[in-house]
């Protein structure tokens, strides 16, 4: 996760040095040519304050999600990033430009909250409850469509994508042996 966050900071440095050339990798809704930006948009930010605001939650939530295995974590992140990007492309306001890791952060939040319940694992439930207690207020605030310059659409679709990922990538509990032959 440290490497991932370091990459986000490096990309922001490149963006600033290049006169914000990377900002064009954000998603402009319902423009077919913008579909190629669905994945890169999750790695681009609009300034150092934007990257800073996403760094700690991404580190913590990403670390917790990665404890379930790196392959599973990579698949969960890929699903969230693609689904969130497509959702932003579909429902964000026309002529907007959306980028940043917050859709992934909201997705990881949803994933961590739901996974323990879906898999019926007490430790996972406990982790989900702790994550909800620590980050819940921030997440709810980020879903409100009242903040200018914040993509509540990206946050909402990210959250939904993370909940979906908990079901798609759940660990199957093997059926118990039947007492009947």
């Amino acid at each position: 996760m440290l490497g991932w966050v370091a990459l986000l900071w490096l990309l922001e440095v490149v963006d600033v040095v290049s006169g914000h050339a990377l900002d064009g990798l954000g998603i402009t809704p319902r423009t077919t040519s913008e579909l190629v930006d669905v994945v890169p948009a999750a790695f681009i930010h609009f300034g150092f304050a934007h990257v800073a605001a996403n760094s700690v939650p991404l580190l913590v939530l990403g670390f917790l999600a990665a404890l379930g295995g790196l392959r599973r974590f990579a698949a969960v992140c890929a699903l969230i990033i693609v689904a969130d990007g497509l959702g932003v492309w579909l429902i964000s306001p026309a002529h907007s430009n959306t980028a940043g890791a917050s859709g992934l952060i909201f997705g990881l939040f949803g994933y961590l909250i739901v996974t323990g319940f879906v898999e019926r694992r007490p430790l996972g439930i406990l982790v989900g409850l702790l994550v909800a207690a620590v980050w819940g207020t921030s997440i709810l605030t980020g879903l409100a469509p009242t903040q200018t310059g914040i993509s509540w659409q990206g946050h909402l679709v990210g959250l939904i994508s993370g909940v979906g990922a908990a079901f798609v990538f759940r660990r199957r509990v093997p059926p118990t042996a039947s007492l009947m032959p």
Side-chain angles (χ1 to χ4, degrees):
M1 286 317 303
L2 288 173
W4 191 321
V5 171
L7 173 64
L8 299 182
W9 281 90
L10 176 63
L11 287 170
E12 188 54 34
V13 168
V14 169
D15 187 45
V16 169
V17 169
S18 69
H20 300 285
L22 298 181
D23 287 353
L25 295 174
I27 301 167
T28 302
R30 295 169 300 284
T31 303
T32 307
S33 63
E34 289 291 308
L35 286 171
V36 298
D37 293 334
V38 161
V39 172
F43 295 87
I44 304 305
H45 290 80
F46 300 130
F48 290 110
H50 187 201
V51 129
N54 284 335
S55 292
V56 172
L58 184 59
L59 274 170
V60 173
L61 298 176
F63 173 77
L64 290 172
L67 290 175
L70 290 180
R71 264 193 246 186
R72 183 179 185 198
F73 173 69
V76 165
C77 288
L79 181 125
I80 292 168
I81 289 170
V82 170
D84 183 56
L86 291 172
V88 164
W89 186 84
L90 281 171
I91 67 171
S92 286
H95 311 295
S96 61
N97 185 14
T98 303
S102 59
L104 175 59
I105 291 164
F106 277 68
L108 290 172
F109 175 85
Y111 173 79
L112 289 167
I113 297 297
V114 172
T115 270
F117 291 100
V118 168
E119 295 179 354
R120 297 183 180 136
R121 294 178 185 254
L123 183 58
I125 293 169
L126 179 62
V127 167
L129 292 173
L130 288 172
V131 165
V134 172
W135 301 98
T137 303
S138 296
I139 294 297
L140 289 175
T141 302
L143 293 173
T146 56
Q147 296 178 328
T148 311
I150 305 244
S151 175
W152 65 268
Q153 297 92 344
H155 294 171
L156 177 62
V157 176
L159 181 64
I160 293 167
S161 300
V163 169
F167 285 92
V168 170
F169 297 109
R170 73 183 173 272
R171 288 187 178 95
R172 308 272 187 227
V173 177
T176 57
S178 173
L179 298 175
M180 306 274 292

